[in-house]
Amino acid sequence: MLNAIRKGESFVPNLKGKNFLRLTDFSPEELSWLLETAIQLKKTQKQGKQQPFLSGKVLGMIFEKSSTRTRVSFEVGMMQLGGQAIFLSTKDIQLGRGETIADTAKVLSRYVDAVMIRTFGHERIEEFAEHATVPVINGLTDLHHPAQVLADLLTIYENKGRLEGLKLCYMGDGKNNMAHSLLEGAVLTGMDITIASPAGYEPDKEIVSQAKKKADRSGSKILINDNPREAIEMADVIVTDVWTSMGQEAETKERLEKFAPFQVNEDLCALAKEDFLFLHCLPAHRGEEVTAEIIDGSHSAVFDEAENRLHAQKAILKVLLAG
């Protein structure tokens, strides 16, 4: 679909005012349009031709979890598009002192043009969106990380020239938000995806079920596998994430033992395609989920991926706020 849009086939969706909570809230055509918008915004930035699409617009950013790439990409993205962003930690707003999510959503909707939230339970952002009257953007929840995966899809497309038909292998915690959003992104773009994780750490069953329904239409293949060597075989793209996410620190020792066979290293990657691409949303723990030889090696595009957070986030902001 992305290649069809690139060839000039007519499709311009109106996504102005829409929320960005998870990737399957969008059709394959709409997701392709977001990616094409990111490509064009990146191109104009490199040419030094910034356009103030969001002049006079303000983004409120609520952070209940710490951040580097999410905060900087959204804040800089708003600035480059001519708007402004306000950083709001739970220490700074009444949400952290017991004000209801609904009340906070109603109040902020009267001040800002959109709200980006980085939080814990996905139900928190869903409740916020239910009561907000401006677009709400998911900067990360425990269940989904769609803004990151939009940047991942952009990075894969830049390196491979296509998305449809590629095999993506996610190696690690299948319950991770990255696994869930990669699963949704893959079936919307026609990629095959294998999620390799230890028994007991498989992705959410409901998310898998919903993704399989999408896969029936896109032709994507979904495999959940507890054998890392089988899972990575002939992979075009290998993705991993930290084994212990924020809020799971008490499980660190147990996770290190169970996930050890799923470390992305040279031995495992030898089973993938010779030109495999390696991605990691960062921050990374070298020597745990990935070895330095892989993340710092020639197959890695992790810093291009990190840069693409900016271009992907600008696409989200432009499309939701300016149309």
Side-chain angles (χ1 to χ4, degrees):
M1 175 54 67
L2 181 58
N3 284 332
I5 291 176
R6 301 226 75 197
K7 291 176 183 176
E9 293 184 14
S10 179
F11 179 77
V12 183
N14 181 13
L15 300 178
K16 186 175 182 180
K18 188 178 175 71
N19 294 323
F20 187 86
L21 303 186
R22 57 187 292 185
L23 291 178
T24 48
D25 290 338
F26 297 83
S27 69
E29 294 80 9
E30 290 169 338
L31 182 59
S32 292
W33 183 254
L34 276 168
L35 287 168
E36 178 58 26
T37 302
I39 291 168
Q40 294 305 319
L41 287 171
K42 183 175 183 177
K43 180 179 179 180
T44 56
Q45 178 181 318
K46 299 297 184 183
Q47 294 173 339
K49 300 176 181 178
Q50 300 286 1
Q51 293 179 286
F53 293 110
L54 301 184
S55 178
K57 302 288 187 182
V58 178
L59 174 70
M61 305 190 303
I62 297 176
F63 285 87
E64 295 188 307
K65 281 188 173 184
S66 58
S67 168
T68 298
R69 282 150 290 276
T70 297
R71 177 178 177 179
V72 175
S73 60
F74 274 105
E75 194 162 341
V76 172
M78 280 298 292
M79 292 177 184
Q80 291 184 351
L81 292 171
Q84 299 181 58
I86 301 173
F87 173 79
L88 303 166
S89 76
T90 49
K91 296 178 181 179
D92 302 322
I93 60 176
Q94 296 299 329
L95 191 62
R97 297 181 63 236
E99 183 173 48
T100 66
I101 292 173
D103 286 356
T104 301
K106 292 173 184 177
V107 169
L108 288 181
S109 294
R110 298 186 179 220
Y111 295 149
V112 300
D113 299 283
V115 179
M116 187 281 296
I117 306 176
R118 185 175 172 94
T119 186
F120 291 89
H122 192 74
E123 70 279 357
R124 292 178 66 78
I125 198 169
E126 290 181 324
E127 183 180 354
F128 194 101
E130 180 183 352
H131 295 282
T133 56
V134 297
V136 177
I137 300 167
N138 184 356
L140 174 143
T141 67
D142 289 343
L143 209 57
H144 296 283
H145 200 355
Q148 173 66 56
V149 170
L150 188 67
D152 291 3
L153 295 174
L154 175 59
T155 308
I156 296 168
Y157 183 82
E158 288 178 334
N159 281 270
K160 296 296 184 180
R162 64 188 175 100
L163 295 172
E164 188 174 3
L166 294 177
K167 176 183 176 179
L168 185 150
C169 176
Y170 173 84
M171 191 73 64
D173 186 0
K175 296 184 182 297
N176 182 286
N177 49 26
M178 282 298 297
H180 292 149
S181 287
L182 284 166
L183 184 58
E184 294 190 343
V187 299
L188 287 170
T189 56
M191 285 194 291
D192 296 335
I193 182 168
T194 298
I195 295 179
S197 57
Y201 292 89
E202 297 88 354
D204 182 271
K205 291 181 179 179
E206 181 60 28
I207 292 174
V208 174
S209 176
Q210 294 170 1
K212 285 183 175 179
K213 292 177 183 178
K214 302 278 186 182
D216 288 341
R217 293 192 289 270
S218 69
S220 298
K221 298 183 182 68
I222 298 173
L223 292 174
I224 312 298
N225 198 328
D226 62 2
N227 184 320
R229 299 185 73 83
E230 287 182 2
I232 204 170
E233 190 172 359
M234 298 303 290
D236 296 285
V237 183
I238 302 167
V239 187
T240 192
D241 194 7
V242 294
W243 291 340
T244 305
S245 298
M246 286 179 280
Q248 299 172 336
E249 288 78 9
E251 305 172 25
T252 299
K253 183 179 179 181
E254 179 183 0
R255 284 172 172 267
L256 286 175
E257 294 175 358
K258 289 187 175 181
F259 284 96
F262 296 82
Q263 181 190 69
V264 179
N265 52 41
E266 290 183 316
D267 177 57
L268 210 54
C269 290
L271 300 171
K273 288 186 178 176
E274 290 186 7
D275 62 345
F276 75 88
L277 181 71
F278 175 76
L279 300 179
H280 190 307
C281 63
L282 302 178
H285 295 161
R286 288 168 173 79
E288 289 186 15
E289 73 272 9
V290 61
T291 60
E293 290 79 9
I294 296 298
I295 193 170
D296 298 320
S298 60
H299 293 275
S300 176
V302 297
F303 295 109
D304 292 335
E305 177 187 11
E307 177 192 337
N308 280 339
R309 286 296 303 274
L310 173 62
H311 310 299
Q313 268 56 296
K314 285 168 69 175
I316 296 167
L317 292 165
K318 178 185 180 294
V319 168
L320 300 189
L321 291 178

PDB file of all heavy atoms in Angstrom, residues 1-26:
ATOM      1  N   MET A   1       0.816  -1.206   0.000  1.00  0.00           N
ATOM      2  CA  MET A   1       0.000   0.000   0.000  1.00  0.00           C
ATOM      3  C   MET A   1       0.857   1.266   0.000  1.00  0.00           C
ATOM      4  O   MET A   1       0.589   2.212  -0.699  1.00  0.00           O
ATOM      5  CB  MET A   1      -0.928   0.003   1.213  1.00  0.00           C
ATOM      6  CG  MET A   1      -1.751   1.289   1.359  1.00  0.00           C
ATOM      7  SD  MET A   1      -2.690   1.721  -0.125  1.00  0.00           S
ATOM      8  CE  MET A   1      -3.872   0.382  -0.160  1.00  0.00           C
ATOM      9  N   LEU A   2       1.953   1.256   0.812  1.00  0.00           N
ATOM     10  CA  LEU A   2       2.816   2.433   0.846  1.00  0.00           C
ATOM     11  C   LEU A   2       3.414   2.697  -0.522  1.00  0.00           C
ATOM     12  O   LEU A   2       3.465   3.832  -0.979  1.00  0.00           O
ATOM     13  CB  LEU A   2       3.927   2.238   1.879  1.00  0.00           C
ATOM     14  CG  LEU A   2       4.910   3.410   2.037  1.00  0.00           C
ATOM     15  CD1 LEU A   2       4.173   4.691   2.412  1.00  0.00           C
ATOM     16  CD2 LEU A   2       5.970   3.086   3.076  1.00  0.00           C
ATOM     17  N   ASN A   3       3.841   1.638  -1.206  1.00  0.00           N
ATOM     18  CA  ASN A   3       4.401   1.823  -2.546  1.00  0.00           C
ATOM     19  C   ASN A   3       3.355   2.355  -3.514  1.00  0.00           C
ATOM     20  O   ASN A   3       3.665   3.142  -4.406  1.00  0.00           O
ATOM     21  CB  ASN A   3       4.981   0.496  -3.059  1.00  0.00           C
ATOM     22  CG  ASN A   3       6.308   0.165  -2.402  1.00  0.00           C
ATOM     23  OD1 ASN A   3       7.040   1.067  -1.995  1.00  0.00           O
ATOM     24  ND2 ASN A   3       6.610  -1.108  -2.277  1.00  0.00           N
ATOM     25  N   ALA A   4       2.102   1.941  -3.334  1.00  0.00           N
ATOM     26  CA  ALA A   4       1.030   2.446  -4.196  1.00  0.00           C
ATOM     27  C   ALA A   4       0.839   3.943  -3.989  1.00  0.00           C
ATOM     28  O   ALA A   4       0.682   4.709  -4.938  1.00  0.00           O
ATOM     29  CB  ALA A   4      -0.264   1.701  -3.903  1.00  0.00           C
ATOM     30  N   ILE A   5       0.844   4.370  -2.739  1.00  0.00           N
ATOM     31  CA  ILE A   5       0.720   5.803  -2.446  1.00  0.00           C
ATOM     32  C   ILE A   5       1.910   6.561  -3.008  1.00  0.00           C
ATOM     33  O   ILE A   5       1.774   7.645  -3.570  1.00  0.00           O
ATOM     34  CB  ILE A   5       0.587   6.029  -0.924  1.00  0.00           C
ATOM     35  CG1 ILE A   5      -0.768   5.501  -0.437  1.00  0.00           C
ATOM     36  CG2 ILE A   5       0.725   7.498  -0.556  1.00  0.00           C
ATOM     37  CD1 ILE A   5      -0.967   5.573   1.054  1.00  0.00           C
ATOM     38  N   ARG A   6       3.107   5.984  -2.907  1.00  0.00           N
ATOM     39  CA  ARG A   6       4.306   6.630  -3.416  1.00  0.00           C
ATOM     40  C   ARG A   6       4.241   6.801  -4.932  1.00  0.00           C
ATOM     41  O   ARG A   6       4.830   7.710  -5.490  1.00  0.00           O
ATOM     42  CB  ARG A   6       5.542   5.829  -3.050  1.00  0.00           C
ATOM     43  CG  ARG A   6       5.725   5.638  -1.552  1.00  0.00           C
ATOM     44  CD  ARG A   6       7.128   5.905  -1.118  1.00  0.00           C
ATOM     45  NE  ARG A   6       7.418   7.325  -1.107  1.00  0.00           N
ATOM     46  CZ  ARG A   6       8.642   7.833  -1.076  1.00  0.00           C
ATOM     47  NH1 ARG A   6       9.680   7.064  -1.093  1.00  0.00           N
ATOM     48  NH2 ARG A   6       8.831   9.142  -1.065  1.00  0.00           N
ATOM     49  N   LYS A   7       3.535   5.895  -5.603  1.00  0.00           N
ATOM     50  CA  LYS A   7       3.402   5.989  -7.052  1.00  0.00           C
ATOM     51  C   LYS A   7       2.361   7.008  -7.475  1.00  0.00           C
ATOM     52  O   LYS A   7       2.151   7.251  -8.655  1.00  0.00           O
ATOM     53  CB  LYS A   7       3.039   4.612  -7.631  1.00  0.00           C
ATOM     54  CG  LYS A   7       4.153   3.584  -7.531  1.00  0.00           C
ATOM     55  CD  LYS A   7       3.683   2.229  -8.027  1.00  0.00           C
ATOM     56  CE  LYS A   7       4.769   1.175  -7.865  1.00  0.00           C
ATOM     57  NZ  LYS A   7       4.294  -0.172  -8.264  1.00  0.00           N
ATOM     58  N   GLY A   8       1.680   7.601  -6.488  1.00  0.00           N
ATOM     59  CA  GLY A   8       0.746   8.660  -6.820  1.00  0.00           C
ATOM     60  C   GLY A   8      -0.702   8.265  -6.883  1.00  0.00           C
ATOM     61  O   GLY A   8      -1.548   9.045  -7.303  1.00  0.00           O
ATOM     62  N   GLU A   9      -1.025   7.015  -6.491  1.00  0.00           N
ATOM     63  CA  GLU A   9      -2.422   6.617  -6.484  1.00  0.00           C
ATOM     64  C   GLU A   9      -3.184   7.479  -5.483  1.00  0.00           C
ATOM     65  O   GLU A   9      -2.710   7.772  -4.392  1.00  0.00           O
ATOM     66  CB  GLU A   9      -2.539   5.131  -6.138  1.00  0.00           C
ATOM     67  CG  GLU A   9      -1.948   4.234  -7.216  1.00  0.00           C
ATOM     68  CD  GLU A   9      -2.147   2.765  -6.920  1.00  0.00           C
ATOM     69  OE1 GLU A   9      -2.956   2.438  -6.030  1.00  0.00           O
ATOM     70  OE2 GLU A   9      -1.496   1.944  -7.580  1.00  0.00           O
ATOM     71  N   SER A  10      -4.363   7.909  -5.861  1.00  0.00           N
ATOM     72  CA  SER A  10      -5.106   8.893  -5.085  1.00  0.00           C
ATOM     73  C   SER A  10      -5.640   8.299  -3.781  1.00  0.00           C
ATOM     74  O   SER A  10      -6.462   7.395  -3.780  1.00  0.00           O
ATOM     75  CB  SER A  10      -6.273   9.439  -5.914  1.00  0.00           C
ATOM     76  OG  SER A  10      -7.019  10.371  -5.169  1.00  0.00           O
ATOM     77  N   PHE A  11      -5.119   8.810  -2.656  1.00  0.00           N
ATOM     78  CA  PHE A  11      -5.670   8.451  -1.356  1.00  0.00           C
ATOM     79  C   PHE A  11      -5.196   9.482  -0.343  1.00  0.00           C
ATOM     80  O   PHE A  11      -4.016   9.534  -0.004  1.00  0.00           O
ATOM     81  CB  PHE A  11      -5.235   7.063  -0.904  1.00  0.00           C
ATOM     82  CG  PHE A  11      -5.800   6.702   0.463  1.00  0.00           C
ATOM     83  CD1 PHE A  11      -7.125   6.315   0.585  1.00  0.00           C
ATOM     84  CD2 PHE A  11      -5.023   6.811   1.600  1.00  0.00           C
ATOM     85  CE1 PHE A  11      -7.659   6.007   1.833  1.00  0.00           C
ATOM     86  CE2 PHE A  11      -5.543   6.508   2.846  1.00  0.00           C
ATOM     87  CZ  PHE A  11      -6.868   6.103   2.960  1.00  0.00           C
ATOM     88  N   VAL A  12      -6.085  10.323   0.116  1.00  0.00           N
ATOM     89  CA  VAL A  12      -5.755  11.336   1.112  1.00  0.00           C
ATOM     90  C   VAL A  12      -6.799  11.261   2.215  1.00  0.00           C
ATOM     91  O   VAL A  12      -7.865  11.876   2.120  1.00  0.00           O
ATOM     92  CB  VAL A  12      -5.716  12.755   0.506  1.00  0.00           C
ATOM     93  CG1 VAL A  12      -5.304  13.766   1.577  1.00  0.00           C
ATOM     94  CG2 VAL A  12      -4.755  12.807  -0.678  1.00  0.00           C
ATOM     95  N   PRO A  13      -6.542  10.493   3.269  1.00  0.00           N
ATOM     96  CA  PRO A  13      -7.537  10.348   4.332  1.00  0.00           C
ATOM     97  C   PRO A  13      -7.619  11.601   5.189  1.00  0.00           C
ATOM     98  O   PRO A  13      -6.646  12.348   5.322  1.00  0.00           O
ATOM     99  CB  PRO A  13      -6.988   9.175   5.148  1.00  0.00           C
ATOM    100  CG  PRO A  13      -5.509   9.272   4.970  1.00  0.00           C
ATOM    101  CD  PRO A  13      -5.312   9.745   3.552  1.00  0.00           C
ATOM    102  N   ASN A  14      -8.758  11.829   5.766  1.00  0.00           N
ATOM    103  CA  ASN A  14      -8.922  12.939   6.702  1.00  0.00           C
ATOM    104  C   ASN A  14      -8.844  12.387   8.118  1.00  0.00           C
ATOM    105  O   ASN A  14      -9.803  11.826   8.630  1.00  0.00           O
ATOM    106  CB  ASN A  14     -10.262  13.644   6.475  1.00  0.00           C
ATOM    107  CG  ASN A  14     -10.446  14.822   7.410  1.00  0.00           C
ATOM    108  OD1 ASN A  14      -9.491  15.274   8.061  1.00  0.00           O
ATOM    109  ND2 ASN A  14     -11.659  15.323   7.499  1.00  0.00           N
ATOM    110  N   LEU A  15      -7.696  12.542   8.734  1.00  0.00           N
ATOM    111  CA  LEU A  15      -7.485  12.027  10.083  1.00  0.00           C
ATOM    112  C   LEU A  15      -7.463  13.143  11.121  1.00  0.00           C
ATOM    113  O   LEU A  15      -7.150  12.891  12.289  1.00  0.00           O
ATOM    114  CB  LEU A  15      -6.165  11.242  10.138  1.00  0.00           C
ATOM    115  CG  LEU A  15      -6.063  10.038   9.194  1.00  0.00           C
ATOM    116  CD1 LEU A  15      -4.697   9.381   9.311  1.00  0.00           C
ATOM    117  CD2 LEU A  15      -7.164   9.038   9.473  1.00  0.00           C
ATOM    118  N   LYS A  16      -7.802  14.341  10.713  1.00  0.00           N
ATOM    119  CA  LYS A  16      -7.781  15.477  11.634  1.00  0.00           C
ATOM    120  C   LYS A  16      -8.757  15.227  12.786  1.00  0.00           C
ATOM    121  O   LYS A  16      -9.913  14.861  12.571  1.00  0.00           O
ATOM    122  CB  LYS A  16      -8.151  16.760  10.908  1.00  0.00           C
ATOM    123  CG  LYS A  16      -8.005  18.015  11.766  1.00  0.00           C
ATOM    124  CD  LYS A  16      -8.268  19.273  10.948  1.00  0.00           C
ATOM    125  CE  LYS A  16      -8.077  20.512  11.813  1.00  0.00           C
ATOM    126  NZ  LYS A  16      -8.328  21.758  11.032  1.00  0.00           N
ATOM    127  N   GLY A  17      -8.274  15.405  14.013  1.00  0.00           N
ATOM    128  CA  GLY A  17      -9.107  15.225  15.189  1.00  0.00           C
ATOM    129  C   GLY A  17      -9.149  13.814  15.723  1.00  0.00           C
ATOM    130  O   GLY A  17      -9.733  13.566  16.781  1.00  0.00           O
ATOM    131  N   LYS A  18      -8.521  12.865  15.029  1.00  0.00           N
ATOM    132  CA  LYS A  18      -8.556  11.457  15.441  1.00  0.00           C
ATOM    133  C   LYS A  18      -7.550  11.210  16.565  1.00  0.00           C
ATOM    134  O   LYS A  18      -6.534  11.907  16.668  1.00  0.00           O
ATOM    135  CB  LYS A  18      -8.224  10.574  14.242  1.00  0.00           C
ATOM    136  CG  LYS A  18      -8.393   9.073  14.457  1.00  0.00           C
ATOM    137  CD  LYS A  18      -8.087   8.326  13.174  1.00  0.00           C
ATOM    138  CE  LYS A  18      -8.131   6.810  13.357  1.00  0.00           C
ATOM    139  NZ  LYS A  18      -9.491   6.309  13.542  1.00  0.00           N
ATOM    140  N   ASN A  19      -7.824  10.236  17.419  1.00  0.00           N
ATOM    141  CA  ASN A  19      -6.866   9.822  18.442  1.00  0.00           C
ATOM    142  C   ASN A  19      -5.835   8.866  17.852  1.00  0.00           C
ATOM    143  O   ASN A  19      -6.088   8.199  16.845  1.00  0.00           O
ATOM    144  CB  ASN A  19      -7.580   9.122  19.609  1.00  0.00           C
ATOM    145  CG  ASN A  19      -8.501  10.056  20.375  1.00  0.00           C
ATOM    146  OD1 ASN A  19      -8.191  11.233  20.571  1.00  0.00           O
ATOM    147  ND2 ASN A  19      -9.630   9.535  20.816  1.00  0.00           N
ATOM    148  N   PHE A  20      -4.678   8.774  18.503  1.00  0.00           N
ATOM    149  CA  PHE A  20      -3.628   7.839  18.103  1.00  0.00           C
ATOM    150  C   PHE A  20      -3.277   7.003  19.333  1.00  0.00           C
ATOM    151  O   PHE A  20      -2.338   7.291  20.056  1.00  0.00           O
ATOM    152  CB  PHE A  20      -2.398   8.609  17.594  1.00  0.00           C
ATOM    153  CG  PHE A  20      -1.317   7.739  17.008  1.00  0.00           C
ATOM    154  CD1 PHE A  20      -1.372   7.360  15.678  1.00  0.00           C
ATOM    155  CD2 PHE A  20      -0.249   7.323  17.773  1.00  0.00           C
ATOM    156  CE1 PHE A  20      -0.373   6.551  15.130  1.00  0.00           C
ATOM    157  CE2 PHE A  20       0.761   6.519  17.246  1.00  0.00           C
ATOM    158  CZ  PHE A  20       0.692   6.142  15.916  1.00  0.00           C
ATOM    159  N   LEU A  21      -4.087   5.966  19.584  1.00  0.00           N
ATOM    160  CA  LEU A  21      -3.923   5.155  20.785  1.00  0.00           C
ATOM    161  C   LEU A  21      -3.263   3.813  20.503  1.00  0.00           C
ATOM    162  O   LEU A  21      -2.498   3.314  21.318  1.00  0.00           O
ATOM    163  CB  LEU A  21      -5.282   4.918  21.458  1.00  0.00           C
ATOM    164  CG  LEU A  21      -6.083   6.171  21.840  1.00  0.00           C
ATOM    165  CD1 LEU A  21      -7.332   5.771  22.617  1.00  0.00           C
ATOM    166  CD2 LEU A  21      -5.244   7.168  22.630  1.00  0.00           C
ATOM    167  N   ARG A  22      -3.587   3.209  19.351  1.00  0.00           N
ATOM    168  CA  ARG A  22      -2.961   1.958  18.923  1.00  0.00           C
ATOM    169  C   ARG A  22      -3.051   1.890  17.408  1.00  0.00           C
ATOM    170  O   ARG A  22      -3.906   2.530  16.792  1.00  0.00           O
ATOM    171  CB  ARG A  22      -3.620   0.738  19.575  1.00  0.00           C
ATOM    172  CG  ARG A  22      -5.097   0.618  19.341  1.00  0.00           C
ATOM    173  CD  ARG A  22      -5.730  -0.498  20.137  1.00  0.00           C
ATOM    174  NE  ARG A  22      -5.301  -1.823  19.685  1.00  0.00           N
ATOM    175  CZ  ARG A  22      -5.797  -2.961  20.179  1.00  0.00           C
ATOM    176  NH1 ARG A  22      -6.698  -2.927  21.146  1.00  0.00           N
ATOM    177  NH2 ARG A  22      -5.390  -4.128  19.716  1.00  0.00           N
ATOM    178  N   LEU A  23      -2.167   1.108  16.802  1.00  0.00           N
ATOM    179  CA  LEU A  23      -2.074   1.130  15.343  1.00  0.00           C
ATOM    180  C   LEU A  23      -3.317   0.581  14.660  1.00  0.00           C
ATOM    181  O   LEU A  23      -3.690   1.045  13.574  1.00  0.00           O
ATOM    182  CB  LEU A  23      -0.834   0.358  14.887  1.00  0.00           C
ATOM    183  CG  LEU A  23       0.507   1.024  15.235  1.00  0.00           C
ATOM    184  CD1 LEU A  23       1.656   0.147  14.793  1.00  0.00           C
ATOM    185  CD2 LEU A  23       0.623   2.411  14.624  1.00  0.00           C
ATOM    186  N   THR A  24      -3.972  -0.392  15.272  1.00  0.00           N
ATOM    187  CA  THR A  24      -5.143  -0.969  14.606  1.00  0.00           C
ATOM    188  C   THR A  24      -6.378  -0.065  14.697  1.00  0.00           C
ATOM    189  O   THR A  24      -7.448  -0.450  14.224  1.00  0.00           O
ATOM    190  CB  THR A  24      -5.472  -2.363  15.174  1.00  0.00           C
ATOM    191  OG1 THR A  24      -5.466  -2.321  16.602  1.00  0.00           O
ATOM    192  CG2 THR A  24      -4.476  -3.393  14.684  1.00  0.00           C
ATOM    193  N   ASP A  25      -6.224   1.117  15.266  1.00  0.00           N
ATOM    194  CA  ASP A  25      -7.284   2.125  15.149  1.00  0.00           C
ATOM    195  C   ASP A  25      -7.300   2.708  13.736  1.00  0.00           C
ATOM    196  O   ASP A  25      -8.226   3.444  13.371  1.00  0.00           O
ATOM    197  CB  ASP A  25      -7.078   3.254  16.153  1.00  0.00           C
ATOM    198  CG  ASP A  25      -7.316   2.810  17.587  1.00  0.00           C
ATOM    199  OD1 ASP A  25      -8.020   1.806  17.774  1.00  0.00           O
ATOM    200  OD2 ASP A  25      -6.802   3.461  18.507  1.00  0.00           O
ATOM    201  N   PHE A  26      -6.273   2.380  12.944  1.00  0.00           N
ATOM    202  CA  PHE A  26      -6.116   2.918  11.596  1.00  0.00           C
ATOM    203  C   PHE A  26      -6.223   1.799  10.570  1.00  0.00           C
ATOM    204  O   PHE A  26      -5.882   0.646  10.845  1.00  0.00           O
ATOM    205  CB  PHE A  26      -4.764   3.626  11.453  1.00  0.00           C
ATOM    206  CG  PHE A  26      -4.621   4.818  12.352  1.00  0.00           C
ATOM    207  CD1 PHE A  26      -4.237   4.672  13.678  1.00  0.00           C
ATOM    208  CD2 PHE A  26      -4.899   6.096  11.886  1.00  0.00           C
ATOM    209  CE1 PHE A  26      -4.125   5.761  14.521  1.00  0.00           C
ATOM    210  CE2 PHE A  26      -4.803   7.192  12.724  1.00  0.00           C
ATOM    211  CZ  PHE A  26      -4.417   7.029  14.045  1.00  0.00           C
TER     212      PHE A  26
END
